Amino acid sequence: MENFLGALDWGTVLFLIVAGFVSAFIDSTVGGGGLISTPALLSLGLPVPYALGTNKVAASVGSLTSVLSFWRAGKIKKAALALTPLSFIGSALGAYVVYLLPEKLMKNIIVALLVLVAVYTYRRKDWGDKGTVQQLGLRALVGAFIMAFAIGFYDGFFGPGTGSFLIFGFLYLGYDFVTAAGNAKALNFASGVGALVSFAMSGTIMWSYGVIMALAMIVGAIFGSRMAIKKGASYVRPLYLLVTTLLIGKQVYEILWK
């Protein structure tokens, strides 16, 4: 244990555990855990590429835990699992072409999209309370394929709001909030692994930090996903709107003051 921790002190270890648990608890339901885990890693002095790469290690493990919990509860559809390769490929490509568009342009676009998503979800008060689809038709299936690849590409390319966009997409296809969250986690996991491969190949991962945070994320993801499955849409919907609003605030802050 001492060799693995190296220069890490126990205060840093405790900080990583708490940050990992809280971020995974939120992320397991509606995404957005990176709002907590990435700044936590940056506050420890990690350069941005290392913070992002290390976060992908922990977040991928947390996402896998959430996927297993939702799957066992029957809240992930086979159609969503069939889409995961597209998310993986899209994310890997997105991470590869990450420098094609200016970051500020991406932030402006994402703020506009997140605002539209939040307003639409808020106005439809009973949206996602009950599922309205049993099987996707051809048109919906084509749309789902495009969504999986496009949002996967975005996750590898930029990232913020991926969980919100995926849940919105599955809600639009007719799934209830909890099933949409489960399906979203399956695709989010695949896209996260795709990006993780790119970070690992570039060598921008602090493995000791990542493994410690990942262990905490396993526990947080178990508690978070069980809470979502137990409480249903009455719990997931307000949390979804809260995290989406925080994402909007974060992006606006970075546009105006950074």
Side-chain angles (χ1 to χ4, degrees):
M1 183 70 171
E2 289 182 359
N3 290 334
F4 175 75
L5 293 177
L8 284 178
D9 59 83
W10 286 106
T12 301
V13 172
L14 181 60
F15 178 76
L16 288 168
I17 290 172
V18 172
F21 177 88
V22 175
S23 64
F25 185 91
I26 296 171
D27 196 73
S28 63
T29 307
V30 295
L35 283 169
I36 298 170
S37 56
T38 302
L41 291 167
L42 288 170
S43 72
L44 293 175
L46 269 65
V48 173
Y50 278 86
L52 294 175
T54 302
N55 182 62
K56 281 297 180 186
V57 173
S60 295
V61 174
S63 292
L64 177 58
T65 305
S66 299
V67 168
L68 293 175
S69 296
F70 279 110
W71 175 258
R72 283 196 294 265
K75 298 300 182 180
I76 296 180
K77 302 300 181 183
K78 291 181 179 179
L81 294 179
L83 298 173
T84 54
L86 290 170
S87 290
F88 178 89
I89 295 170
S91 179
L93 288 174
Y96 181 73
V97 298
V98 71
Y99 299 109
L100 283 183
L101 291 176
E103 184 176 333
K104 189 169 184 179
L105 173 62
M106 286 298 299
K107 287 179 179 178
N108 289 331
I109 294 172
I110 296 314
V111 167
L113 291 176
L114 284 172
V115 169
L116 290 174
V117 165
V119 170
Y120 188 88
T121 305
Y122 179 78
R123 288 176 62 86
R124 301 217 22 204
K125 301 296 184 181
D126 59 347
W127 200 35
D129 287 349
K130 294 182 180 179
T132 59
V133 63
Q134 294 298 323
Q135 188 173 357
L136 295 179
L138 179 60
R139 186 175 179 180
L141 198 57
V142 171
F145 279 13
I146 295 172
M147 175 190 74
F149 179 82
I151 298 180
F153 182 90
Y154 165 74
D155 190 26
F157 179 79
F158 194 59
T162 298
S164 296
F165 292 137
L166 283 171
I167 291 176
F168 183 85
F170 281 113
L171 286 171
Y172 196 80
L173 290 173
Y175 292 104
D176 64 86
F177 249 113
V178 179
T179 303
N183 289 345
K185 288 313 298 179
L187 268 63
N188 211 173
F189 169 68
S191 64
V193 172
L196 175 59
V197 170
S198 295
F199 281 116
M201 291 177 65
S202 67
T204 53
I205 294 175
M206 183 75 75
W207 288 101
S208 58
Y209 283 39
V211 171
I212 293 170
M213 186 172 271
L215 294 175
M217 282 194 174
I218 291 174
V219 182
I222 290 173
F223 278 92
S225 55
R226 286 181 178 177
M227 180 73 76
I229 293 165
K230 181 180 179 181
K231 299 292 185 180
S234 62
Y235 167 76
V236 179
R237 178 188 170 89
L239 184 60
Y240 173 77
L241 287 170
L242 173 62
V243 171
T244 302
T245 302
L246 290 174
L247 279 165
I248 293 169
K250 177 179 180 292
Q251 298 305 312
V252 170
Y253 170 78
E254 292 182 351
I255 290 170
L256 296 178
W257 287 286
K258 281 195 174 183

